[in-house]
């Protein structure tokens, strides 16, 4: 029996973005783990005595290879946007976590496969040896993925179809042993990884943790590629910075950068330099891309809304204009750090708390009085300032209408 559809169906673009993102992360992290292991003089082995009794069944390459098909089907078949987010994040987290384990504890399969007489199977195993060298062992990503595939696709099938799905995915997991790609300990590690990821990424909570999750993934990728592969101390520093940002977003702490008077303290720069520098670079690119557009607009008489301004742009504001700065990530232009400057930080790309919205609206109402100009801005002028301005305009519709007539 099929379950009823829950939630809005994801768009084709959303499916493609999540699929492409997962393939890119896998395509980066998995081969890099091979690179790390291959250059070491020796690799670990997790073979147990019982592994010597596992036979080699060449035909098992068929279910083993079908994992790639399931990798795609998950993103094409899940029915709601929330199911898509959950499946995507679980697989991303499994990929990056496994890659970090491979880097810390590189293990190698200990036995060589026998020669094959069947040319088709021989060609299939030859291709497998090219894309999947015998290093990334514990935990088995194949097995972790099988559990995640099952959790994502189970609601789509009922009755005998669900039994067939479960049987095939168990066959895929077993194929890791009978193709002599993994040992028994790798399979158990893959099950543990899949279960842990499923427990950590739960349905219903993906919207609240979006930014924190992706900063965590970025930290893992930076650590894996930058530190373990390149040996860069700057990458280690950047990964730690990204984790701190992820923690701040998880705690919904809009004041984590301790911006005061429009400037960041030295301690904030020492801890968050890669993050702050990234925002400054992004702001500079946005200024260049939109160089033909106004940096701010007058939404209503005396109410200006836009992005963080340069020194020259700041001089275009009315004299004595109050400034409400919603951006904790960028220092304020020196010309605007006067007595009329107010900092009301809101996290970027993250829904603010109702109490934060009320506080900003109250501040805006206090500053925006007849005859007094206010400049409300965030970092790029796309989301936070426009969101607050829309709420303020809706709440003060009658007064704004009279003032514009």
């Amino acid at each position: 029996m099929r379950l009823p559809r829950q939630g809005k169906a994801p768009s084709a673009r959303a499916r493609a973005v999540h699929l492409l993102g997962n393939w890119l992360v896998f395509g980066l992290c998995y081969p890099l783990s091979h690179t790390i292991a291959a250059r070491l003089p020796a690799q670990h082995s997790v073979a147990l005595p019982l592994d010597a009794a596992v036979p080699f069944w060449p035909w098992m390459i068929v279910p083993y290879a079908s994992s790639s098909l399931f990798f795609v089907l998950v993103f094409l078949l899940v029915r709601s946007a929330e199911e898509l987010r959950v499946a995507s994040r679980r697989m991303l987290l499994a990929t990056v976590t496994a890659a970090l384990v491979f880097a810390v504890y590189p293990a190698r399969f200990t036995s060589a496969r026998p020669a094959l007489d069947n040319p088709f199977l021989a060609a299939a195993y030859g291709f497998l040896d090219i894309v999947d060298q015998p290093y990334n062992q514990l935990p088995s990503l194949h097995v972790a993925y099988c559990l995640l595939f099952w959790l994502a696709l189970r609601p789509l099938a009922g009755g005998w179809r669900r039994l067939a799905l479960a049987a095939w995915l168990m066959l895929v997991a077993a194929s890791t042993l009978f193709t002599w790609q993994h040992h028994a300990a790798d399979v158990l590690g893959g099950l543990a990884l899949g279960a842990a990821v499923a427990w950590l990424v739960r349905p219903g909570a993906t919207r609240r943790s979006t930014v924190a999750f992706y900063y965590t993934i970025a930290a893992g990728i930076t650590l894996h590629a930058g530190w373990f592969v390149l040996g860069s101390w700057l990458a280690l520093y950047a990964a730690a910075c990204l984790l701190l940002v992820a923690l701040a977003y998880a705690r919904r702490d809009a004041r984590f950068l301790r911006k005061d008077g429009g400037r960041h303290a030295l301690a904030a720069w020492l801890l968050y330099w890669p993050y702050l520098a990234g925002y400054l670079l992004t702001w500079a690119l946005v200024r260049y891309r939109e160089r033909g557009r106004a940096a701010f607009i007058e939404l209503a008489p005396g109410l200006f809304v836009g992005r963080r301004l340069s020194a020259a742009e700041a001089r275009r504001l009315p004299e004595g204009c109050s400034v409400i700065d919603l951006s904790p990530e960028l220092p304020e232009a020196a010309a605007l750090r006067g007595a009329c400057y107010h900092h009301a930080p809101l996290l970027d790309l993250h829904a603010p708390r109702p109490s934060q919205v009320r506080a900003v609206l109250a501040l805006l109402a206090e500053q925006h009085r007849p005859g007094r100009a206010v400049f409300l801005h965030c970092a790029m002028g796309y989301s936070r300032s426009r969101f607050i301005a829309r709420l303020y305009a809706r709440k003060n519709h009658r007064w704004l209408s009279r003032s514009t007539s």
Side-chain angles (χ1 to χ4, degrees), residues 59-60 62-64 66 70 146-147 149-150 153-154 157 159-176 178:
W59 63 270
M60 275 287 195
V62 176
Y64 186 89
S66 70
F70 280 100
C146 281
L147 180 57
F149 295 158
W150 165 250
L153 297 176
R154 178 183 60 180
W160 68 267
R161 293 183 180 86
R162 181 173 292 184
L163 291 176
L165 175 65
W168 188 262
L169 289 175
M170 285 190 287
L171 190 64
V172 174
S175 70
T176 62
F178 296 108

Short mmCIF file of all heavy atoms in Angstrom, two decimals, residues 59-60 62-64 66 70 146-147 149-150 153-154 157 159-176 178:
data_model
loop_
_atom_site.label_atom_id
_atom_site.label_comp_id
_atom_site.label_asym_id
_atom_site.label_seq_id
_atom_site.Cartn_x
_atom_site.Cartn_y
_atom_site.Cartn_z
N TRP A 59 29.89 -12.89 -10.56
CA TRP A 59 28.64 -12.27 -10.99
C TRP A 59 28.13 -11.21 -10.02
O TRP A 59 27.28 -10.40 -10.36
CB TRP A 59 27.56 -13.34 -11.20
CG TRP A 59 27.19 -14.08 -9.94
CD1 TRP A 59 27.77 -15.21 -9.46
CD2 TRP A 59 26.17 -13.71 -9.01
NE1 TRP A 59 27.19 -15.59 -8.28
CE2 TRP A 59 26.19 -14.68 -7.98
CE3 TRP A 59 25.25 -12.68 -8.92
CZ2 TRP A 59 25.33 -14.65 -6.89
CZ3 TRP A 59 24.38 -12.63 -7.85
CH2 TRP A 59 24.42 -13.60 -6.85
N MET A 60 28.67 -11.19 -8.81
CA MET A 60 28.25 -10.20 -7.82
C MET A 60 28.61 -8.77 -8.22
O MET A 60 28.18 -7.80 -7.60
CB MET A 60 28.86 -10.53 -6.46
CG MET A 60 28.06 -11.53 -5.65
SD MET A 60 26.54 -10.77 -5.02
CE MET A 60 26.07 -11.98 -3.78
N VAL A 62 27.41 -7.34 -10.66
CA VAL A 62 26.17 -6.74 -11.16
C VAL A 62 25.43 -5.99 -10.06
O VAL A 62 25.15 -4.79 -10.20
CB VAL A 62 25.28 -7.80 -11.83
CG1 VAL A 62 23.94 -7.18 -12.26
CG2 VAL A 62 25.99 -8.43 -13.01
N PRO A 63 25.09 -6.64 -8.92
CA PRO A 63 24.46 -5.86 -7.85
C PRO A 63 25.39 -4.79 -7.28
O PRO A 63 24.94 -3.71 -6.89
CB PRO A 63 24.08 -6.91 -6.79
CG PRO A 63 24.93 -8.09 -7.10
CD PRO A 63 25.13 -8.08 -8.58
N TYR A 64 26.69 -5.07 -7.25
CA TYR A 64 27.63 -4.08 -6.74
C TYR A 64 27.58 -2.80 -7.58
O TYR A 64 27.52 -1.69 -7.04
CB TYR A 64 29.05 -4.66 -6.76
CG TYR A 64 30.09 -3.77 -6.11
CD1 TYR A 64 30.36 -3.87 -4.76
CD2 TYR A 64 30.79 -2.83 -6.85
CE1 TYR A 64 31.31 -3.06 -4.15
CE2 TYR A 64 31.74 -2.01 -6.27
CZ TYR A 64 32.00 -2.13 -4.91
OH TYR A 64 32.93 -1.31 -4.32
N SER A 66 25.11 -1.77 -9.36
CA SER A 66 23.79 -1.14 -9.36
C SER A 66 23.66 -0.06 -8.29
O SER A 66 22.70 0.71 -8.31
CB SER A 66 22.70 -2.19 -9.16
OG SER A 66 22.73 -2.71 -7.84
N PHE A 70 21.04 3.36 -7.99
CA PHE A 70 20.25 3.78 -6.83
C PHE A 70 20.65 5.19 -6.39
O PHE A 70 19.81 5.95 -5.91
CB PHE A 70 20.43 2.78 -5.69
CG PHE A 70 19.59 1.56 -5.82
CD1 PHE A 70 20.12 0.37 -6.30
CD2 PHE A 70 18.24 1.58 -5.49
CE1 PHE A 70 19.35 -0.76 -6.43
CE2 PHE A 70 17.46 0.45 -5.62
CZ PHE A 70 18.01 -0.73 -6.10
N CYS A 146 23.49 1.81 1.02
CA CYS A 146 22.35 0.88 0.91
C CYS A 146 21.31 1.15 1.99
O CYS A 146 20.10 1.15 1.71
CB CYS A 146 22.85 -0.57 1.03
SG CYS A 146 23.57 -1.22 -0.49
N LEU A 147 21.77 1.39 3.21
CA LEU A 147 20.82 1.71 4.27
C LEU A 147 20.11 3.02 3.99
O LEU A 147 18.89 3.14 4.20
CB LEU A 147 21.57 1.77 5.61
CG LEU A 147 20.72 2.09 6.84
CD1 LEU A 147 19.57 1.09 7.00
CD2 LEU A 147 21.59 2.12 8.10
N PHE A 149 19.66 4.40 1.00
CA PHE A 149 18.75 4.17 -0.14
C PHE A 149 17.43 3.57 0.34
O PHE A 149 16.35 3.96 -0.11
CB PHE A 149 19.39 3.22 -1.15
CG PHE A 149 20.63 3.74 -1.83
CD1 PHE A 149 21.55 2.85 -2.40
CD2 PHE A 149 20.90 5.09 -1.90
CE1 PHE A 149 22.69 3.31 -3.03
CE2 PHE A 149 22.04 5.57 -2.53
CZ PHE A 149 22.94 4.67 -3.09
N TRP A 150 17.54 2.61 1.23
CA TRP A 150 16.35 1.93 1.75
C TRP A 150 15.44 2.93 2.48
O TRP A 150 14.23 2.96 2.26
CB TRP A 150 16.76 0.80 2.67
CG TRP A 150 15.66 0.27 3.54
CD1 TRP A 150 15.52 0.41 4.89
CD2 TRP A 150 14.51 -0.50 3.10
NE1 TRP A 150 14.38 -0.21 5.32
CE2 TRP A 150 13.74 -0.77 4.26
CE3 TRP A 150 14.08 -0.96 1.87
CZ2 TRP A 150 12.56 -1.49 4.20
CZ3 TRP A 150 12.89 -1.68 1.81
CH2 TRP A 150 12.15 -1.95 2.96
N LEU A 153 13.80 5.23 -0.23
CA LEU A 153 12.91 4.64 -1.24
C LEU A 153 11.81 3.77 -0.65
O LEU A 153 10.84 3.45 -1.34
CB LEU A 153 13.74 3.81 -2.22
CG LEU A 153 14.78 4.60 -3.04
CD1 LEU A 153 15.60 3.65 -3.91
CD2 LEU A 153 14.10 5.66 -3.90
N ARG A 154 11.95 3.38 0.60
CA ARG A 154 10.94 2.51 1.23
C ARG A 154 9.53 3.08 1.16
O ARG A 154 8.57 2.33 0.87
CB ARG A 154 11.34 2.24 2.68
CG ARG A 154 10.34 1.38 3.45
CD ARG A 154 10.76 1.24 4.89
NE ARG A 154 10.85 2.55 5.54
CZ ARG A 154 11.20 2.72 6.81
NH1 ARG A 154 11.54 1.67 7.55
NH2 ARG A 154 11.25 3.93 7.32
N ALA A 157 7.31 2.26 -2.11
CA ALA A 157 6.90 0.91 -2.53
C ALA A 157 6.22 0.20 -1.38
O ALA A 157 6.54 0.41 -0.20
CB ALA A 157 8.12 0.11 -3.00
N GLY A 159 4.14 -3.82 -0.30
CA GLY A 159 3.94 -5.21 -0.66
C GLY A 159 5.19 -5.87 -1.20
O GLY A 159 6.29 -5.73 -0.66
N TRP A 160 5.02 -6.58 -2.32
CA TRP A 160 6.15 -7.33 -2.88
C TRP A 160 7.24 -6.41 -3.42
O TRP A 160 8.41 -6.79 -3.44
CB TRP A 160 5.65 -8.25 -4.00
CG TRP A 160 5.16 -7.55 -5.23
CD1 TRP A 160 3.90 -7.17 -5.52
CD2 TRP A 160 5.97 -7.14 -6.36
NE1 TRP A 160 3.84 -6.53 -6.73
CE2 TRP A 160 5.11 -6.51 -7.29
CE3 TRP A 160 7.32 -7.25 -6.67
CZ2 TRP A 160 5.55 -5.99 -8.49
CZ3 TRP A 160 7.77 -6.73 -7.86
CH2 TRP A 160 6.90 -6.12 -8.76
N ARG A 161 6.87 -5.18 -3.83
CA ARG A 161 7.88 -4.25 -4.32
C ARG A 161 8.84 -3.84 -3.20
O ARG A 161 10.05 -3.71 -3.43
CB ARG A 161 7.22 -3.01 -4.92
CG ARG A 161 6.42 -3.27 -6.20
CD ARG A 161 5.88 -1.98 -6.76
NE ARG A 161 5.12 -2.18 -7.98
CZ ARG A 161 3.83 -2.49 -8.01
NH1 ARG A 161 3.16 -2.64 -6.87
NH2 ARG A 161 3.20 -2.68 -9.16
N ARG A 162 8.28 -3.64 -2.02
CA ARG A 162 9.15 -3.28 -0.90
C ARG A 162 10.07 -4.45 -0.54
O ARG A 162 11.24 -4.25 -0.22
CB ARG A 162 8.31 -2.88 0.31
CG ARG A 162 9.13 -2.48 1.51
CD ARG A 162 8.28 -1.94 2.64
NE ARG A 162 7.67 -0.66 2.29
CZ ARG A 162 6.93 0.07 3.13
NH1 ARG A 162 6.71 -0.37 4.36
NH2 ARG A 162 6.43 1.22 2.75
N LEU A 163 9.52 -5.67 -0.59
CA LEU A 163 10.34 -6.85 -0.31
C LEU A 163 11.45 -6.99 -1.35
O LEU A 163 12.59 -7.32 -1.03
CB LEU A 163 9.47 -8.10 -0.29
CG LEU A 163 8.49 -8.23 0.89
CD1 LEU A 163 7.63 -9.47 0.73
CD2 LEU A 163 9.26 -8.29 2.21
N ALA A 164 11.10 -6.73 -2.62
CA ALA A 164 12.10 -6.82 -3.69
C ALA A 164 13.18 -5.77 -3.51
O ALA A 164 14.38 -6.04 -3.72
CB ALA A 164 11.42 -6.67 -5.05
N LEU A 165 12.78 -4.56 -3.13
CA LEU A 165 13.75 -3.49 -2.88
C LEU A 165 14.69 -3.87 -1.75
O LEU A 165 15.92 -3.72 -1.87
CB LEU A 165 13.02 -2.19 -2.55
CG LEU A 165 13.89 -1.00 -2.15
CD1 LEU A 165 14.78 -0.56 -3.30
CD2 LEU A 165 13.02 0.18 -1.66
N ALA A 166 14.14 -4.37 -0.65
CA ALA A 166 14.96 -4.76 0.49
C ALA A 166 15.92 -5.89 0.11
O ALA A 166 17.11 -5.86 0.47
CB ALA A 166 14.07 -5.19 1.65
N ALA A 167 15.41 -6.86 -0.64
CA ALA A 167 16.25 -8.00 -1.03
C ALA A 167 17.40 -7.56 -1.92
O ALA A 167 18.55 -8.00 -1.75
CB ALA A 167 15.40 -9.06 -1.74
N TRP A 168 17.11 -6.67 -2.88
CA TRP A 168 18.18 -6.24 -3.79
C TRP A 168 19.23 -5.40 -3.06
O TRP A 168 20.43 -5.57 -3.30
CB TRP A 168 17.60 -5.46 -4.96
CG TRP A 168 18.65 -5.17 -6.00
CD1 TRP A 168 19.36 -4.01 -6.14
CD2 TRP A 168 19.16 -6.08 -6.97
NE1 TRP A 168 20.27 -4.14 -7.17
CE2 TRP A 168 20.16 -5.40 -7.70
CE3 TRP A 168 18.84 -7.40 -7.31
CZ2 TRP A 168 20.85 -6.00 -8.73
CZ3 TRP A 168 19.54 -7.99 -8.36
CH2 TRP A 168 20.54 -7.29 -9.06
N LEU A 169 18.78 -4.52 -2.18
CA LEU A 169 19.75 -3.71 -1.44
C LEU A 169 20.60 -4.57 -0.50
O LEU A 169 21.79 -4.29 -0.32
CB LEU A 169 19.03 -2.61 -0.66
CG LEU A 169 18.44 -1.49 -1.51
CD1 LEU A 169 17.65 -0.50 -0.66
CD2 LEU A 169 19.52 -0.76 -2.30
N MET A 170 20.02 -5.62 0.05
CA MET A 170 20.82 -6.54 0.86
C MET A 170 21.82 -7.28 -0.02
O MET A 170 22.96 -7.55 0.40
CB MET A 170 19.92 -7.52 1.62
CG MET A 170 19.21 -6.89 2.80
SD MET A 170 18.37 -8.08 3.88
CE MET A 170 16.97 -8.52 2.85
N LEU A 171 21.41 -7.59 -1.24
CA LEU A 171 22.33 -8.22 -2.18
C LEU A 171 23.47 -7.28 -2.55
O LEU A 171 24.63 -7.70 -2.66
CB LEU A 171 21.56 -8.65 -3.44
CG LEU A 171 22.31 -9.54 -4.44
CD1 LEU A 171 22.67 -10.87 -3.81
CD2 LEU A 171 21.46 -9.74 -5.69
N VAL A 172 23.15 -6.00 -2.72
CA VAL A 172 24.19 -5.00 -3.01
C VAL A 172 25.18 -4.93 -1.85
O VAL A 172 26.41 -4.90 -2.06
CB VAL A 172 23.57 -3.62 -3.27
CG1 VAL A 172 24.66 -2.56 -3.42
CG2 VAL A 172 22.69 -3.64 -4.52
N ALA A 173 24.66 -4.91 -0.63
CA ALA A 173 25.55 -4.86 0.54
C ALA A 173 26.41 -6.12 0.62
O ALA A 173 27.61 -6.04 0.90
CB ALA A 173 24.72 -4.69 1.81
N ALA A 174 25.81 -7.29 0.36
CA ALA A 174 26.57 -8.54 0.40
C ALA A 174 27.61 -8.60 -0.70
O ALA A 174 28.67 -9.21 -0.53
CB ALA A 174 25.60 -9.73 0.29
N SER A 175 27.33 -7.94 -1.83
CA SER A 175 28.27 -8.00 -2.95
C SER A 175 29.62 -7.38 -2.61
O SER A 175 30.63 -7.69 -3.25
CB SER A 175 27.67 -7.29 -4.17
OG SER A 175 27.61 -5.89 -3.98
N THR A 176 29.64 -6.50 -1.62
CA THR A 176 30.92 -5.91 -1.21
C THR A 176 31.88 -6.97 -0.69
O THR A 176 33.11 -6.81 -0.78
CB THR A 176 30.71 -4.83 -0.14
OG1 THR A 176 30.12 -5.43 1.02
CG2 THR A 176 29.81 -3.72 -0.66
N PHE A 178 31.54 -10.49 -1.60
CA PHE A 178 31.75 -11.55 -2.58
C PHE A 178 32.44 -11.06 -3.86
O PHE A 178 32.80 -11.87 -4.71
CB PHE A 178 30.42 -12.23 -2.91
CG PHE A 178 29.82 -12.92 -1.72
CD1 PHE A 178 28.70 -12.41 -1.09
CD2 PHE A 178 30.41 -14.06 -1.19
CE1 PHE A 178 28.16 -13.03 0.01
CE2 PHE A 178 29.87 -14.70 -0.09
CZ PHE A 178 28.73 -14.17 0.53
#
